[in-house]
Every structure is written in structure tokens, then in C-alpha cells.
Amino acid sequence: MSGYSWFEGIPFPVMWFQKEIVEDIRNMFVVKEEDLIILTYPKSGTHWLIDIVCLIQTKGDPKWIQSVPIWDRSPWIEYSNGYPVLIHKEGPRLITSHLPIHLFSKSFFSSKAKAIYLIRNPRDVIVSGYYFLGKSNIGKNPESLGTYIEWFLEGNVLYGSWFEHVRGWLSMRKCDNFLVLYYEDMKKDTKGTIKKICDFLGKKLGPDELDLVLKYSSFQVMKENNMSNFSLIKLDLHPNGLNIMRKGTTGDWKNHFTVAQAEVFDKVFQEKMAGFPPGMFPWE
Ligand code: PPS
């Protein structure tokens, strides 16, 4: 199975896509005030953020993240295996989504539910996506990184244009119930970012609890946690599972892009992201 399922011009993974679900999310799904929504463009550090949030909820106790698969702890709302779980779940929910803003639940925009939007340098998103999505049967398989960069710039990759996704969700950045995080800041100061998330969620953690969150959400520990590293999903091209924890670094694109590819990317980035204040993106 390769290729995409399309909905209003946005490519979705065939294996988890149902048109009715994506329609229902926008028009019928009701966000509860006590829900917490984790929003990302794919390959931006979604799994990392989910584990951090789960560990904050358990005050650093790893039992939950070590015994329950990540998609049961914080289901992807747009996936056929996530939506039914969410609509039947009582009480506060953790909800994950890669949806662009215009496809997300309308009810969210008039609710006080909190959401965290995590952004990563799109160049690293490309490299991560090329090695993971491009080599699995979740998306279309490019013959080279150059091809994948072209598709990315055209928005012909899963969930469409990174530029539109980020511009769209960043329009919420001044709302009190909306926290914007950057993967690069998380890497540079993970503890500081965990504290920021705690403040946003109104959670108080002691120093030892914070250290436990840090420990169990580290790249190495997550890489070995089968409940978080994607290895439970058996794909046609990877019958033994594919580990989502590839490298977990910033700036890996420099090892992959040619000078010409980097120049083309810079030009498109400047054009498409014009208008944001200087310093908006930590990698620029
Ligand atoms: S997905 O498939 O879209 O949900 O993927 P996503 O989780 O958004 O992104 C996967 C990348 O995040 C990296 N990752 C981490 N980096 C640092 N620390 C921790 N703990 C961590 N967990 C996941 C993961 O390695 C992928 O990036 P790359 O660059 O491919 O390594």
C-alpha cells in the first residue's frame, strides 16, 4: 500500500484514513474544556511531546508510558483507530493531531481547552520524513531526498504544506489556551521546556519529579520503549516494526542537503514565511 488518500487537497495516510471521520472531526466532534490537544506537523517531535505530557500527568512515574501504547494514551484524532477511542472516552482526554487548522474541530475555537503546537525546523522535518515516511508504506516513497524536498515544497507530502500548516496554527499563538513550542528549544533546554509545559497546564512538579520526566522522555529511553517507539506497528516494508527514534538531533539536514537544495529551500522559506517578526523561528 503506497500513495495517499486525499481530502480537500490534503494527503492522508491510506492505512488510517476514513473520509467520514475527517468530516466528523470538523463538524461534529466536541472538544471538552478539560481536554489537552497536541498539535504538530508530522516529524516535528510529536511522540516526544506526548511522552513528556504523559509523564507530567503521572509526576514522572513511567508505569503508564511503559505499559500503554502511545496511540492509546493520546490517540490521533484523524486516524480510524483513534477517533472511535476518543469519542467514547469519558473525562479529560489527551488528543493528538497532525491536521491543519482548517480541518480541525470547529468546537475547539470557541472552547477553553488547551492546545500545544510543536514546530521543528522544516529542513529537519524533511530529513526525518524522508527516512521514516519515505521508507515505510505510510506515504509515497520518493526515489531520492531531492525528490522528497520537491514534493515537500509543493505540499505533496502527508498533511500537505508545512508552510500553510505552521502559518495556520500560528494564527492562534496569542491565545491564552495555546502554547507554541519549538523542537530546537526542547533540545537546547529540555528541563526549561518541561517547566514551561507544567506552567501552561497548571501542574506543579517537585525537583525529583521533574528529573524523572526528563529521564523517561530522553531519546535513549524512548528509543527502547516499545510503547512509544512505533515498533509495535508492523508495516509491509518493515514486518519487524520501524523505530521512530532515528537520531533525535537538530541540524541533521546539513548532513543531507546539497548547497543547491539548501539555497532553493531558503528562497521558498523566505517567500512563504514572510511577515513573521525576526526571531520567530529559533533556527533562522
Ligand atoms: S510522527 O511520525 O510524525 O508522529 O513523528 P514525530 O514523533 O513527530 O517525529 C519524530 C522525530 O522526533 C524525534 N524524537 C526525539 N528527538 C529528541 N528526543 C526525543 N526524546 C525524541 N523522540 C522522538 C525522532 O527521533 C524523529 O526525528 P529524527 O530526526 O528522524 O530522529
Side-chain angles (χ1 to χ4, degrees), residues 4-279:
Y4 306 129
S5 292
W6 291 83
F7 182 86
E8 296 186 8
I10 304 287
F12 283 83
V14 177
M15 64 198 292
W16 296 304
F17 177 77
Q18 265 178 37
K19 183 167 172 275
E20 302 69 36
I21 289 183
V22 181
E23 280 168 349
D24 277 6
I25 292 169
R26 187 164 50 184
N27 300 315
M28 316 261 291
F29 184 80
V30 180
V31 169
K32 300 182 216 167
E33 304 226 326
E34 64 273 27
D35 289 340
L36 172 62
I37 304 158
I38 291 170
L39 300 163
T40 60
Y41 186 86
K43 311 319 291 180
S44 301
T46 323
H47 287 66
W48 190 14
L49 181 57
I50 296 172
D51 272 14
I52 288 177
V53 165
C54 290
L55 284 161
I56 290 174
Q57 290 204 351
T58 62
K59 293 181 175 279
D61 184 337
K63 239 179 274 143
W64 193 30
I65 64 155
Q66 289 173 348
S67 58
V68 180
I70 196 159
W71 50 84
D72 287 336
R73 285 182 268 126
S74 185
W76 272 248
I77 190 171
E78 63 270 21
Y79 289 170
S80 46
N81 55 358
Y83 189 70
V85 176
L86 286 170
I87 54 174
H88 292 116
K89 185 165 190 306
E90 284 170 16
R93 297 168 294 190
L94 281 180
I95 300 173
T96 302
S97 184
H98 294 314
L99 286 174
I101 190 166
H102 68 283
L103 295 183
F104 200 68
S105 164
K106 283 182 188 156
S107 73
F108 169 61
F109 302 100
S110 55
S111 120
K112 292 198 182 100
K114 291 180 179 169
I116 305 178
Y117 185 53
L118 174 61
I119 306 178
R120 186 182 192 186
N121 186 336
R123 299 163 184 86
D124 285 330
V125 166
I126 289 180
V127 173
S128 181
Y130 174 67
Y131 281 108
F132 185 79
L133 301 170
K135 303 217 178 292
S136 68
N137 52 321
I138 298 175
K140 236 167 97 179
N141 307 129
E143 76 232 0
S144 66
L145 178 68
T147 307
Y148 193 71
I149 295 175
E150 275 172 35
W151 292 352
F152 188 92
L153 293 176
E154 293 160 358
N156 276 324
V157 286
L158 288 172
Y159 292 92
S161 162
W162 179 91
F163 307 97
E164 281 167 31
H165 202 283
V166 171
R167 285 199 86 93
W169 280 114
L170 276 181
S171 66
M172 299 274 302
R173 68 188 186 277
K174 301 221 166 101
C175 302
D176 290 341
N177 61 337
F178 198 83
L179 177 69
V180 176
L181 294 177
Y182 293 91
Y183 180 96
E184 290 66 27
D185 294 338
M186 276 169 77
K187 281 294 296 185
K188 205 150 81 187
D189 180 10
T190 313
K191 204 176 204 172
T193 309
I194 296 171
K195 283 187 192 157
K196 207 172 177 178
I197 299 172
C198 288
D199 288 346
F200 176 67
L201 300 179
K203 303 262 183 215
K204 287 225 173 323
L205 260 54
D208 293 350
E209 293 166 342
L210 266 176
D211 284 340
L212 288 172
V213 176
L214 194 63
K215 173 178 165 187
Y216 289 110
S217 63
S218 72
F219 182 79
Q220 267 320 317
V221 173
M222 280 187 64
K223 194 178 170 113
E224 278 149 34
N225 180 5
N226 288 343
M227 298 296 143
S228 301
N229 65 15
F230 208 81
S231 60
L232 293 177
I233 303 262
K234 310 297 176 211
L235 303 165
D236 292 353
L237 299 179
H238 297 273
N240 297 323
L242 180 61
N243 198 313
I244 211 162
M245 314 300 156
R246 186 186 62 92
K247 232 172 174 183
T249 57
T250 56
D252 190 34
W253 68 273
K254 293 178 193 149
N255 301 317
H256 292 84
F257 279 41
T258 63
V259 173
Q261 285 165 345
E263 282 174 4
V264 170
F265 192 91
D266 282 356
K267 194 159 169 286
V268 177
F269 187 90
Q270 302 305 334
E271 277 166 22
K272 300 225 186 219
M273 301 312 273
F276 282 110

